[in-house]
Amino acid sequence: MSTQQLPAQLPIAKAINAGLRAAMADDDKVLLMGEDIGTLGGVFTVTAGLEAEFGERRVFDTPLSEDGIIGSAIGLAMAGFRPVCEIQFDGFIFPGFDQITSQLAKQTNRHVGSMAMPVVIRVPYGGGIGAIEHHQESPEAYFAHTPGLRIVSPSTAHDAYWMIQEAIASNDPVMFFEPKRRYWQKGPVDPSNSGLPLHAARVVREGTQGTLVGHGAMVGVMLQAAELAAADDVSLEVIDLRSISPIDFAPIISSVEKTGRLVVVQEAPSFVSVGSEIAAQVSERAFYSLQAPVIRVGGFDVPFPPAKLEGLHVPDADRVLDAVERSLGY
Amino acid sequence: MSTQQLPAQLPIAKAINAGLRAAMADDDKVLLMGEDIGTLGGVFTVTAGLEAEFGERRVFDTPLSEDGIIGSAIGLAMAGFRPVCEIQFDGFIFPGFDQITSQLAKQTNRHVGSMAMPVVIRVPYGGGIGAIEHHQESPEAYFAHTPGLRIVSPSTAHDAYWMIQEAIASNDPVMFFEPKRRYWQKGPVDPSNSGLPLHAARVVREGTQGTLVGHGAMVGVMLQAAELAAADDVSLEVIDLRSISPIDFAPIISSVEKTGRLVVVQEAPSFVSVGSEIAAQVSERAFYSLQAPVIRVGGFDVPFPPAKLEGLHVPDADRVLDAVERSLGY
Amino acid sequence: MSDSPATAVQFLDARGERVSSAASERFSEYADEVTVELLQSFYRDMLVTRRFDEAAAALQRQGQLALWVPSVGQEGGQVGAARATKRQDWIFPAYRELVMARVRGVDPLQLIDMLRGNTHGTWDWQSTHFHQYTLVIGAQSLHGTGFAMGLALDGKASTGNRETDAAVLTCFGDGATSEGATSEAFVFATSYQAPVVFFCQNNGWAISVPTSTQTRTPLAVRAAGFGLDSVRIDGNDAIAGYAVTRALLDKARVGDGPGFIESMTYRIGAHTSSDDPTKYRSSDEVDEWGARDPITRVRLRLEAESVDDEFFADVDAEAADTAADLRARISQRPLPTAESMFAHVYSEPHPVMAAESEWLRQYEANLAGES
Amino acid sequence: MSDSPATAVQFLDARGERVSSAASERFSEYADEVTVELLQSFYRDMLVTRRFDEAAAALQRQGQLALWVPSVGQEGGQVGAARATKRQDWIFPAYRELVMARVRGVDPLQLIDMLRGNTHGTWDWQSTHFHQYTLVIGAQSLHGTGFAMGLALDGKASTGNRETDAAVLTCFGDGATSEGATSEAFVFATSYQAPVVFFCQNNGWAISVPTSTQTRTPLAVRAAGFGLDSVRIDGNDAIAGYAVTRALLDKARVGDGPGFIESMTYRIGAHTSSDDPTKYRSSDEVDEWGARDPITRVRLRLEAESVDDEFFADVDAEAADTAADLRARISQRPLPTAESMFAHVYSEPHPVMAAESEWLRQYEANLAGES
Ligand SMILES: Cc1ncc(C[n+]2csc(CCOP(=O)(O)OP(=O)(O)O)c2C)c(N)n1
Ligand SMILES: Cc1ncc(C[n+]2csc(CCOP(=O)(O)OP(=O)(O)O)c2C)c(N)n1
Ligand SMILES: [Mg+2]
Ligand SMILES: [Mg+2]
């Protein structure tokens, strides 16, 4: 891969931008498409400068239709391209749901392997930015339930830079969920070493008395909770899922074998969610290790509330610690 | 409710038809709409005769658009009607996904209670009929993850008759999943007594050594498994969920407190599914009662395979018994 | 169609002159209904809304609002169309129909509540006949259509009575025409001959994307292809907005078929307060459209009709009052309660809502107890 | 548009006479390419397919097929359009394009595999340039459009070279025009001036629903509203299918904009083998259309052109052979393996696929061991 000069610290949005630039420079089959991604550079500036750099042929604004974006991206992939689609906000992915679920996810299988589907769908997701309705959802469970898709979400600039490139390099469709409230969180990026493979989870903090697992913006919340717990002499291990489908269970199971307790943290409503799957599988696979049931901390099972209530809805460190306390109470 | 003369035994398809007729006779705000439901009476004849009986004003064919069907049904509900929409097959609900997820499910909440959404969406679902692609899916998890929807699925003619009427009477949107491969399974219908409320689960067979829970077409499979197990002197309790959202956990937890073991059976792929939720909650709520982890038997995490392979994909009594054996092995 | 649907109907030009053309002829009877008095009401609605709009934008910059969605420049078509609705009619807005909201009697502070993050939008849709804003582009086009189908099924429309039959006015922007839902609404509306008129404000842009990316033909031509009675209007001409909307609503309400209006206008401000339009469009274009301001031309007309200064002063005073009222009340809006998250997800009791709201109540009580 | 898009272009009438009209003039140059030899190939494609179609329907009734989707009556437009494609062109079918499949060299037994439940459709799309069937109505309209955009981006189309530039022919039915995806495909195709021609077989019905429920205007008029070069043809006239498709593909391939063809035809048979059309339509209607059979008229023309009996006998023999081949091979089609469920869900290794396929292998081995 081509190496760019990168500053020592990069916000996540700029790390994705740099990753996109690197992928585009490496492979001229990579295209960027979506609403307002060209001249404007995206409403979060993630694609800023790329139209100017690579031209309107490779970075282009589409008509206002998510179904149209995904459906035509499928056609472009059939023609040998690697389209990277931006869905402007989490809540606007649903008009494209049919193309994702019945077409994108199934083409390779339908064609018994004779048709790769290297389409990336970038989705800024999650709450915490004080937005109006439909701009703060965490819809990853819908896609995780759909065979044929891969789903990832970076929580650091380094991962953002690398994972977007790995997603683009994948011959399978990848949903790339960007924790939008962390877009301006800075971190170092090592442009010479990706670290982990795309679908590996990462232990981001070691601990002994309990395990926290989550992804995206919740990683920061979990780290904060672990920090607070440490002050109370409770040692928590924190795992960043990074990949939501498939889930890398090995480090989670090892951790639970060590700590005996697991709290799963996510922004999405809990009912029939990624957290349900983790709880179900860990309860099965670490049956003899668990000293307490797996406890889930998630958004409530309600439509995302008005911004003034999002602080109550989206899990914070206190909610995580409350769950840890319950877990320790067993 | 008006009482119809019903034969002693009714196939499920005809029981739904009778339930629709009763609901329409009771309340002239009830409308039926969908593709081919009028003159043809639906591709499974579920609405047969109703256009002739109630007229084209109340039973009408729509243009070929699921998004259009659901979106206009929302408008009709806003105008005071109680539309019952048929989606022709499970796999064709996705073009309507945005209207269901972002509109139908959220209207009442968005309007802080000032707008009821009495819309029923009937979906023939599941495999076992040797159909081509998109005609055999079990998409209930997508909707279960969506706050604001209610989801039910009958497994007997009696429940089919009553639950469709209760769904129509509800002021909330109800997804009504019809186990299509059981449409011609006959059973008695008591038109004078519904039995249970819409969202109650039902113990359909008592047992002591393990619990099976599932819904729709899987209820028959579980009963068959329990029968076979009984022949081997293994006593299994079988619970028909009936309601998928909300789930009636009380009888499941009581059962597990008695049996110590739970196998969850579903047709849908397991990953991030209704089965995951049941496993997660039961693992938490019956933590001290479970003598073995909750085991899930589901479709594989693959797109529904060609018909010649569906016998392998959709759980059968053998697969259920294999899981029971594993559970008993702990 | 009286003429090609691509020729814009205009009754009041940018200089405030009354004009007519072959395209406008069909609607002149309705344009003639616009008395000086009615035109004064147009002026009042537009000017008061413009000042409110500017005040809200300023409050957003001060951190009082999460977001502001301006309608500056688009008041002409909006006021005409909204004033063309009869009391029994219903409006399904998108999210930029500030003048329409006023005309239908929506408390503007309730609109503010939504943009402040207190609610998802909670004005009284039943009494105002003005539905909530719909933020998922295009979705409301089907709701309006279904609602119109319902009016007809209920005998509230399509009986042939032009006075009492009701109709629906459904709004969206140029960008929205690319969403499948909007085309599907055209299909359903024409298939059932529903009493609905689509009001498309073509303001040149969908955020940073010009209308030319959405369509290569006039949107009125596209809509005509579906069989909608389709008319393009000068969207900065309140009289055209009034006359054409009234004509098409009257036609639709009696059961003679749905309509479509492409209101050619311009979004003078940013898409929302989050947007910087200088990144994608020229100031020349903005200036050009500024010269076609919908309020100025009505004022010029009213002055030509010798409306006295007192009237203008009165409108200015109302506008100033409304803006002042907004500034005074904005920080006192009731905050949503935790309980409200759970109370309305369902109309009927739900065990998960009960459990989660109880859990949160206890959790909050514990937190409060701890601190 | 040479004429109103609603006037059907016809070159060969039901009696096999060559005809022309103002509407057809634009395409007469292309119609003139249809030599007797080419017309013979049309006849062969249609007749062999008809016999195959009938044989498959019979096999379905005998339980050899889960489902059969007949194309009887629709062969005319299909053969003309498919023969109009150049080698470098691509077809995106819906699921009723049996003649087109033959023309592009698809092994019909691979089509049968899908309807037998062995596969989801696995013919070689790369070499035949004939994509898989798409069963979710309308979805392929966007795939064809995106694919066409890709051809242009790749320099394989829109270079201005009529001989070597490629184009896409995307098929769907009248019912499909109501799905949002189809309208969105029109939007994208026109916005990017993609080298695609939409071929809509208006066969009067979407299962039991007549076209009048989907639209009140000719579909060609609707498509024209989007800015597609839009033409209605007699869909039972193979020459019209050929000439118009060729003209629009040539225009689209060089970058002069996408097209739309409304091919007016009729589904003589049931929707599928699961359907009973007597429930919703009259036999009169079927008879009326039977008299406009697309094969009969080509035969009459060929006879008028003095094509000898030997040719017809040869076609009959090929048809009989093809049907016999189907009957012989149908029960020997390879069955899918359990492993195949997991092998192609992803192009790259996936832990869940590995685990589940291994689990099933062991489970099956145990079951086999037990019994
Ligand atoms: C389904 C969906 N996709 C994307 C968005 C984000 N978005 C909000 S407004 C807008 C542009 C809308 O343009 P137009 O319809 O012309 O209306 P205008 O804002 O110009 O009034 C976009 C893309 C959305 N709200 N909904
Ligand atoms: C999204 C979707 N909804 C419903 C169906 C069920 N269905 C299969 S074919 C059909 C009618 C299609 O009519 P048309 O497009 O006119 O094509 P035709 O079958 O007449 O060739 C319907 C409703 C489907 N396949 N996909
Ligand atoms: Mg706009
Ligand atoms: Mg058809």
Side-chain angles (χ1 to χ4, degrees), chain D residues 74 95-96 173-176 201-207 209 211 267:
Chain D
Q74 301 186 208
Y95 48 77
R96 205 183 287 286
D174 48 298
Q201 294 182 68
N202 182 345
N203 63 3
W205 296 91
I207 309 186
V209 180
T211 307
R267 195 193 74 213

Side-chain angles (χ1 to χ4, degrees), chain B residues 3-17:
Chain B
T3 36
Q4 304 172 61
Q5 297 297 354
L6 298 178
Q9 295 273 319
L10 267 186
I12 287 182
K14 286 199 194 287
I16 300 171
N17 180 279

Side-chain angles (χ1 to χ4, degrees), chain B residues 251-302:
Chain B
I252 305 173
I253 302 289
S254 314
S255 179
V256 170
E257 281 166 1
K258 176 173 69 174
T259 65
R261 296 168 206 279
L262 180 65
V263 172
V264 185
V265 186
Q266 64 184 359
E267 279 191 58
S270 291
F271 198 73
V272 186
S273 65
V274 174
S276 319
E277 182 64 29
I278 297 175
Q281 284 212 36
V282 173
S283 296
E284 181 175 349
R285 293 161 72 167
F287 186 65
Y288 292 118
S289 306
L290 280 170
Q291 288 161 45
V294 178
I295 296 184
R296 288 179 283 161
V297 181
F300 296 106
D301 290 298
V302 302

Side-chain angles (χ1 to χ4, degrees), chain A residues 315-329:
Chain A
D316 59 10
D318 279 342
R319 287 257 299 279
V320 174
L321 289 173
D322 173 77
V324 169
E325 223 169 89
R326 276 185 280 148
S327 175
L328 290 167

Side-chain angles (χ1 to χ4, degrees), chain A residues 38-63:
Chain A
T39 309
L40 185 65
V43 296
F44 292 106
T45 71
V46 172
T47 56
L50 297 175
E51 184 201 70
E53 190 167 336
F54 295 99
E56 288 182 19
R57 190 186 148 275
R58 294 188 57 200
V59 181
F60 53 87
D61 285 333
T62 60

Side-chain angles (χ1 to χ4, degrees), chain C residues 74 95-96 173-176 201-207 209 211 267 271:
Chain C
Q74 302 186 204
Y95 48 77
R96 204 184 286 288
D174 47 299
Q201 294 183 68
N202 182 346
N203 63 3
W205 295 91
I207 311 186
V209 180
T211 308
R267 194 193 75 212
H271 170 67

Side-chain angles (χ1 to χ4, degrees), chain A residues 146-225:
Chain A
T146 306
L149 301 175
R150 295 173 182 270
I151 309 174
V152 299
S153 181
S155 76
T156 66
H158 178 83
D159 278 352
Y161 174 78
W162 280 109
M163 288 167 75
I164 189 67
Q165 294 181 66
E166 290 157 354
I168 293 170
S170 171
N171 279 325
D172 291 319
V174 180
M175 311 275 310
F176 191 83
F177 281 97
E178 302 174 2
K180 70 168 96 79
R181 73 155 144 153
R182 306 290 192 211
Y183 268 145
W184 305 108
Q185 171 191 298
K186 286 187 177 186
V189 172
D190 178 351
S192 62
N193 181 5
S194 70
L196 292 172
L198 183 60
H199 292 295
R202 173 192 280 131
V203 177
V204 289
R205 180 185 172 116
E206 303 212 345
T208 56
Q209 289 164 275
T211 305
L212 307 178
V213 65
H215 61 273
M218 289 298 102
V219 175
V221 170
M222 294 190 297
L223 285 171
Q224 202 189 338

Side-chain angles (χ1 to χ4, degrees), chain D residues 7-224:
Chain D
T7 313
V9 173
Q10 192 188 52
F11 287 105
L12 192 64
D13 73 12
R15 291 158 307 148
E17 303 291 337
R18 283 295 297 258
V19 294
S20 70
S21 69
S24 68
E25 206 169 305
R26 173 183 168 197
F27 307 101
S28 55
E29 180 196 336
Y30 286 97
D32 292 345
E33 290 176 15
V34 183
T35 57
V36 172
E37 209 181 350
L38 187 53
L39 203 58
Q40 282 177 299
S41 83
F42 291 177
Y43 180 78
R44 183 181 295 271
D45 291 331
M46 290 193 289
L47 194 89
V48 173
T49 304
R50 172 88 48 104
R51 295 292 167 260
F52 180 89
D53 198 326
E54 291 160 352
L59 288 163
Q60 193 283 330
R61 287 190 294 272
Q62 291 160 31
Q64 290 284 336
L65 285 176
L67 189 78
W68 182 243
V69 187
S71 59
V72 176
Q74 301 186 208
E75 297 93 341
Q78 278 191 35
V79 75
R83 286 278 164 208
T85 60
K86 292 186 175 160
R87 177 183 283 271
Q88 71 268 26
D89 294 341
W90 295 79
I91 295 179
F92 281 71
Y95 48 77
R96 205 183 287 286
E97 284 73 22
L98 204 53
V99 187
M100 293 199 183
R102 171 183 156 93
V103 169
R104 296 300 317 198
V106 172
D107 176 354
L109 268 292
Q110 291 190 313
L111 267 162
I112 289 290
D113 283 340
M114 185 192 134
L115 293 155
R116 202 170 152 81
N118 290 345
T119 71
H120 287 322
T122 51
W123 49 91
D124 182 350
W125 59 278
Q126 287 119 321
S127 72
T128 59
H129 284 211
F130 186 79
H131 272 266
Q132 306 303 311
Y133 278 0
T134 293
L135 304 180
V136 179
I137 300 289
Q140 78 282 5
S141 60
L142 281 165
H143 306 165
T145 301
F147 195 90
M149 290 163 64
L151 291 175
L153 287 176
D154 244 357
K156 292 178 183 153
S158 306
T159 72
N161 187 326
R162 190 182 272 214
E163 295 315 311
T164 56
D165 280 349
V168 172
L169 188 72
T170 301
C171 306
F172 46 77
D174 48 298
T177 61
S178 292
E179 289 283 3
T182 307
S183 290
E184 291 166 329
F186 297 170
V187 170
F188 276 64
T190 50
S191 184
Y192 297 106
Q193 293 288 289
V196 59
V197 174
F198 299 102
F199 190 78
C200 174
Q201 294 182 68
N202 182 345
N203 63 3
W205 296 91
I207 309 186
S208 72
V209 180
T211 307
S212 58
T213 298
Q214 319 288 349
T215 188
R216 296 210 167 218
T217 53
L219 291 167
V221 169
R222 184 194 295 180

